[in-house]
RNA sequence: GGUCCGGUAGCUCAGUUGGAUAGAGCAUCAGCCUUCUAAGCUGAGGGUCAUUGGUUCGAAUCCAAUCCGGAUCACCA
């Protein structure tokens, strides 16, 4: 409808004032609530060009629109804004067409393939709150991008090698005593994480011991025996030393099992996993390529660099003097590998904004190398998650563990639900499922409702709130609608039968109109979310939809509506709202219950 | 110091390519359950949109400067 309006207005402007504007130069807005109308055309820019007063131009355009759009019920000129109101018949007709369309909100294909990476954990400790924001954003975006008409490939990257991985291995070697996840009944990733912490403790102990003998702190760190062992272990790993590799395989296996369990609980998945241990050498061939092209240069010590000063960045190392590669080199290799695997039109990296610089460099280097995928590299940069007490710091033990957090959310969900006393009719299994849904819904929504780009504060108490702008509020609204629909025991149960009643429906109540208008914005919201890489836009939309529905629910009777066609319409309207809530929440990776 | 990001109600956040009197939630206060789920709804109070200047019919939004916070500028990943 909006685009039709724009076209009409553009056409009228051309006829009336004989100058050309394109339809997308016409500004059509959502009017403020107190004006009882559906769309607002902003006239100022047009009036200026036409050399007319805004009010005069507005009423002239309004008159012409009235002639050319049958369903225009009326217009009103207020201070240079042209407010348009469409007829109830138009909206009823729109509603009639869309409310039973199962594909509503699925946009036409763009023909593009998009790869999105998210999660990207190290394999030396369990997932934490920071990973959760990453996963929620990435997973939700994968669904939103798909709804927006793209083919989507979800990938994970495991940082499964390197000095930090060796730390937990070494600690296990020294103190592990053949402990396993089974023998200690500890989730694999948590067990490995314990040894990672153990390493640091041991290092600290050795350092303070050396310092007490009079050694300087820096010196002590260098000469601590455990630090020498770790360098040795890394070398052995790289040489393929069998015992070290076996230990590595075993411990990483535990971690992957643990991660899998967490993914399952979160309801997220991936199409393919990449492992740094398999890709860390891939970048080296591009170093030769870049040298041959004169894109890179070699210093006297043999190290290879790229000069990005002309692009406002620095010189960047690509290959150490000893011939080993660094992070950025590996990422060049990995990007190329992914291109070979899938040929995506776009490669999205969901990575925290502390790596903004890194991805600028990556994209720039790929472009300099003339890679076809360079243009499609997009860093979905999200802000860090802070606690009310400040930044999470692993050293200070303030990191919020993902599994613990999920447990806690479910526990609180259970407590709150039982307090409400709404559990009748649900057996133990269904209850447990509901608590999981609500706890996760609260957590995911709390994180997703914030613009990804922005740093956010995670307040544990507020995150499990069930009131107001929360996931459970929307879940509740869905369950509430389903409850009403279940109570409709008449022969009208088949929704498509209800449609005939719409033909006799004459007028809409204001709140019904508002609901339809908002429902009409759903597809646009999807494309906006996709274009902005922001699930938050969708989250805000869904909240407003649920809120408007609750208002409607409060104001008007549904099952006991005065006229049968009103009753039927409101049932259909409720059902449509439930569908959009469910679909929209699904795009956020959140399930909604039938009852709660 | 260079670069990048941010600053909106007591707190947490919305606010579209510049558009009407800057909106929600939480918290506070006052109402609404003999009627479809009160995890709901209605209302009240609460703002120098960090500051100053500029651009124009119009600025929270764009530009410049300043202040404050964060990130980054590793032969770590």
């Amino acid at each position: 409808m909006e685009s039709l309006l724009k076209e009409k207005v553009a056409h009228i402007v051309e006829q009336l004032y004989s100058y050309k504007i394109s339809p997308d130069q016409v500004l059509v807005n959502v009017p403020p609530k107190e004006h009882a109308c559906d769309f607002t055309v902003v006239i100022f820019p047009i009036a200026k060009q036409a050399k007319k007063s805004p009010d005069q131009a507005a009423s002239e355009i309004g008159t012409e629109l009235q002639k050319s759009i049958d369903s225009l019920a009326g217009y009103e000129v207020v201070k240079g804004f042209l407010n348009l109101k469409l007829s109830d018949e138009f909206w009823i007709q729109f509603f009639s067409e869309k409310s039973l369309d199962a594909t509503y909100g699925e946009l036409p294909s763009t023909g593009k393939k998009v790869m999105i990476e998210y999660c990207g954990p190290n394999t030396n400790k369990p997932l934490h709150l920071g990973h959760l924001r990453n996963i929620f954003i990435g997973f939700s975006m994968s669904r939103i991008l798909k709804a927006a008409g793209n083919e989507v490939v979800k990938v994970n990257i495991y940082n499964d090698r390197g000095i930090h991985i060796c730390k937990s291995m070494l600690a296990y070697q020294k103190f592990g005593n053949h402990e396993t996840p089974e023998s200690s009944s500890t989730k694999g990733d948590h067990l490995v994480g314990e040894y990672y912490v153990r390493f640091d403790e041991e290092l600290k102990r050795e350092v303070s011991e050396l310092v007490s003998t009079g050694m300087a702190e820096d010196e002590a760190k260098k000469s601590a025996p455990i630090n020498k062992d770790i360098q040795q272990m890394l070398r052995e790993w790289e040489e393929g030393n069998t015992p070290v590799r076996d230990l590595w395989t075993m411990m990483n296996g535990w971690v992957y099992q643990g991660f899998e369990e967490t993914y399952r609980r979160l309801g997220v998945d991936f199409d393919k996993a990449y492992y740094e241990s398999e890709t860390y050498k891939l970048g080296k061939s591009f170093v030769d390529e870049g040298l041959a092209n004169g894109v890179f240069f070699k210093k006297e010590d043999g190290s290879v660099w790229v000069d990005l000063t002309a692009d406002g960045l620095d010189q960047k190392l690509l290959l150490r003097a000893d011939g080993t590669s660094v992070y950025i080199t590996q990422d060049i290799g990995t990007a190329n590998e992914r291109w070979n695997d899938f040929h995506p039109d776009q490669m999205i990296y969901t990575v925290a904004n502390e790596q903004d610089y890194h991805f600028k460099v990556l994209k720039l280097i790929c472009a300099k190398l003339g890679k076809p995928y360079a243009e499609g590299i997009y860093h979905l940069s999200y802000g860090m998650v802070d606690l009310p007490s400040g930044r999470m710091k692993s050293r200070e033990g303030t990191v919020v563990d993902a599994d613990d957090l999920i447990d806690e959310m479910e526990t609180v969900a259970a407590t709150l639900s039982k307090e409400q006393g709404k559990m009748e009719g649900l057996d133990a299994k269904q209850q447990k499922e509901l608590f999981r849904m609500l706890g996760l819904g609260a957590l995911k929504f709390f994180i997703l409702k914030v613009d990804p780009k922005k740093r956010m504060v995670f307040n544990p108490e507020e995150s499990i709130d069930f009131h107001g702008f929360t996931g459970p509020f929307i879940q509740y609204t869905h369950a509430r609608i389903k409850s009403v629909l279940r109570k409709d025991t008449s022969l009208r149960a088949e929704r498509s039968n209800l449609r005939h009643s719409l033909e006799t429906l004459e007028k809409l109540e204001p709140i019904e109109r508002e609901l339809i208008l908002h429902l009409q914005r759903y597809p646009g919201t999807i494309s906006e979310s996709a274009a902005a890489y922001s699930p938050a836009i969708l989250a805000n939309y869904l909240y407003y939809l649920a809120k408007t529905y609750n208002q409607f629910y409060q104001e008007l009777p549904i099952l006991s509506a005065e006229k049968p066609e009103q009753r039927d319409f409101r049932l259909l309207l409720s059902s449509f709202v439930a569908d959009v809530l469910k679909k929209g929440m699904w795009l956020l990776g959140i399930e909604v219950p039938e009852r709660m």
Side-chain angles (χ1 to χ4, degrees), chain A residues 351 537 586:
Chain A
V351 179
I537 292 173
W586 187 84

Side-chain angles (χ1 to χ4, degrees), chain A residues 116 118 133-143 350 380:
Chain A
I116 180 163
Y118 52 94
R133 188 175 197 193
N134 182 314
I135 291 170
F136 295 159
I137 291 170
F139 185 69
S140 172
M141 276 318 303
S142 77
R143 287 188 167 172
T350 313
L380 205 181

Side-chain angles (χ1 to χ4, degrees), chain A residues 19-228:
Chain A
Y19 78 92
K20 255 183 126 64
I21 57 170
S22 74
D24 34 279
Q25 281 174 287
V26 179
L27 191 58
V28 176
N29 277 359
V30 177
K33 253 188 182 172
E34 58 273 20
H35 301 275
C37 58
D38 304 333
F39 298 100
T40 294
V41 185
V42 182
I43 299 298
F44 296 102
I46 296 170
K48 198 177 180 184
Q49 284 274 339
K51 300 200 171 70
K52 295 257 180 182
S53 82
D55 282 1
Q56 195 187 350
S59 58
E60 284 173 4
I61 294 169
T63 311
E64 288 304 310
L65 275 176
Q66 186 82 276
K67 286 183 202 158
S68 65
I69 302 179
D70 291 341
S71 45
L72 188 65
Y75 69 92
E76 185 192 22
V77 177
V78 184
K79 291 188 285 184
F81 295 93
L82 175 59
N83 293 330
L84 304 174
K85 186 168 184 176
L86 298 174
S87 65
D88 285 355
E89 294 81 56
F90 171 82
W91 287 117
I92 293 168
Q93 180 59 31
F94 164 84
F95 177 78
S96 171
E97 278 168 26
K98 301 298 180 186
S99 62
L100 293 174
D101 177 1
T103 65
Y104 188 62
E106 287 171 31
L107 276 40
S109 169
T110 61
K112 288 195 173 155
K113 188 192 278 184
V114 177
M115 169 180 282
I116 180 163
E117 173 199 292
Y118 52 94
C119 194
N122 292 342
T123 58
N124 56 3
K125 48 181 182 243
L127 303 175
H128 58 69
L129 183 53
H131 291 113
L132 290 183
R133 188 175 197 193
N134 182 314
I135 291 170
F136 295 159
I137 291 170
F139 185 69
S140 172
M141 276 318 303
S142 77
R143 287 188 167 172
I144 290 171
L145 288 164
K146 193 163 182 210
N150 301 288
E151 188 185 335
V152 177
V153 183
K154 295 169 284 184
V155 302
N156 198 351
I157 174 88
Y158 288 107
N159 303 303
D160 62 342
R161 50 138 245 130
I163 197 94
H164 52 296
I165 307 299
C166 289
K167 287 182 181 177
S168 41
M169 287 163 62
L170 188 71
Y172 182 84
Q173 211 175 45
K174 283 175 115 69
F175 313 110
N177 236 336
H178 304 293
E179 189 179 28
T180 66
E182 290 76 28
S183 75
S184 60
S185 347
T186 305
K187 200 160 159 281
D189 49 338
H190 288 259
L191 184 66
V192 171
E194 283 172 20
Y195 285 99
Y196 184 69
V197 172
R198 185 70 197 268
F199 175 90
D200 262 345
E201 288 169 0
E202 191 61 17
L203 176 62
K204 238 181 233 167
R205 200 185 58 73
E206 290 185 1
V207 168
S208 66
E209 212 165 79
L210 288 171
V211 168
S212 70
T213 66
M215 194 182 275
E217 174 121 8
D218 284 1
E219 186 63 23
K221 268 184 190 157
K222 272 185 206 159
S223 51
I226 199 167
N227 253 349
K228 295 198 161 165

Side-chain angles (χ1 to χ4, degrees), chain A residues 213-269:
Chain A
T213 66
M215 194 182 275
E217 174 121 8
D218 284 1
E219 186 63 23
K221 268 184 190 157
K222 272 185 206 159
S223 51
I226 199 167
N227 253 349
K228 295 198 161 165
D229 293 347
I230 201 83
Q231 295 296 341
Q232 174 62 21
M233 184 179 246
L234 184 61
R235 267 193 299 278
E236 286 172 353
W237 184 90
E238 284 181 0
E239 287 158 6
N241 173 294
T242 306
V244 171
R245 284 291 183 138
D246 286 348
L247 178 64
W248 176 73
T249 305
M250 179 177 76
M251 291 181 74
N252 272 354
W254 294 343
V255 171
Y256 294 136
Q257 262 183 18
F259 285 170
E260 283 303 325
E261 196 183 321
T262 306
Y263 299 152
R264 199 166 51 243
R265 291 185 76 186
L266 292 172
V268 302
D269 57 13

